């Protein structure tokens, strides 16, 4: 419960890395993989922990160059997600509401999508913020990257930006580390 979540059933090994600057990073191994996954969650968040975590990642960058990318989450935060963006999403994917979150699923996908998951939720309510904030989140997963390693991470950004534009009509720029 170090990260506010219970471990999942398919997790067969979990370790916590405590860094010199106070950052806490999970190291996981899932049952469907022989590889360990190091997770840098929230490096562009709104907290001082995010800055510390980003510093650790930048310091480790040289050592992680040939590590495979398994997932990148892109969050678009706005006071209110425009209705035309939601409408554009609903034209391409079916909305499925669960709790505070609306998931947008393709017509043929069942529970999970191995390439892209899209969700929309009230970040202010979830994190008990004192100001309004909604989040549109794109989770780009392993099959989307086709064995891209960390040293080539920026080569995938343009493709991700085009996907976000195709789904929402929004022009976004994914910034380099």
């Amino acid at each position: 419960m170090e990260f506010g979540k219970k471990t999942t059933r398919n997790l067969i090994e979990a370790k916590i890395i405590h860094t010199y600057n106070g950052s806490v990073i999970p190291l996981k191994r899932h049952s469907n993989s022989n590889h360990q996954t190091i997770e840098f969650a929230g490096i562009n968040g709104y907290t001082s922990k995010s800055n510390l975590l980003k510093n650790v990642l930048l310091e480790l960058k040289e050592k992680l160059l040939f590590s495979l990318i398994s997932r990148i989450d892109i969050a678009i935060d706005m006071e209110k997600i425009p209705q035309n963006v939601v409408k554009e999403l609903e034209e391409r994917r079916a909305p499925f509401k669960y709790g505070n979150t609306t998931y947008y699923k393709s017509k043929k996908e069942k529970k999970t999508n191995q390439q892209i998951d899209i969700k929309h939720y009230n970040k202010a309510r979830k994190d008990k913020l004192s100001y309004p904030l909604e989040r549109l989140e794109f989770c780009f997963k392993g099959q989307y990257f086709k064995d891209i390693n960390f040293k080539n991470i920026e080569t995938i950004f343009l493709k991700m930006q085009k996907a976000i534009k195709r789904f929402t009509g929004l022009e976004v720029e994914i910034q380099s580390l």
Side-chain angles (χ1 to χ4, degrees), residues 11-96:
L11 196 63
I12 58 173
E13 183 180 20
K15 296 177 182 175
I16 299 172
I17 301 168
H18 296 274
T19 68
Y20 70 94
N21 71 1
S23 297
V24 180
I25 304 168
L27 181 65
K28 304 173 181 177
R29 190 159 47 99
H30 296 274
S31 59
N32 59 354
S33 175
N34 292 327
H35 305 289
Q36 291 183 319
T37 302
I38 188 167
E39 187 177 292
F40 289 91
I43 60 171
N44 285 326
Y46 303 109
T47 66
S48 58
K49 286 183 179 181
S50 295
N51 290 330
L52 296 175
L53 191 58
K54 189 172 192 173
N55 290 339
V56 171
L57 177 59
L58 291 173
E59 288 177 24
L60 291 174
K61 191 174 182 178
E62 287 290 316
K63 295 183 178 5
L64 298 173
L65 288 178
F66 297 99
S67 300
L68 291 177
I69 303 294
S70 61
R71 179 173 161 170
I72 297 177
D73 292 1
I74 302 295
I76 300 169
D77 292 340
M78 297 180 184
E79 189 173 305
K80 176 100 175 110
I81 300 296
Q83 191 58 39
N84 63 329
V85 170
V86 173
K87 195 173 193 174
E88 191 83 25
L89 266 172
E90 289 176 352
E91 285 179 14
R92 288 169 173 54
R93 290 187 165 210
F96 168 71

Side-chain angles (χ1 to χ4, degrees), residues 42 44-47 73-82 119-124 126-127 129 131-138 164 170 172:
N44 285 326
Y46 303 109
T47 66
D73 292 1
I74 302 295
I76 300 169
D77 292 340
M78 297 180 184
E79 189 173 305
K80 176 100 175 110
I81 300 296
K119 52 189 163 186
H120 172 216
Y121 56 91
N122 187 324
K123 178 85 171 145
K126 182 179 178 190
D127 291 353
L129 301 175
Y131 51 90
L133 188 66
E134 288 186 13
R135 173 168 283 179
L136 184 59
E137 189 173 312
F138 291 81
I164 292 170
L170 291 172
V172 298

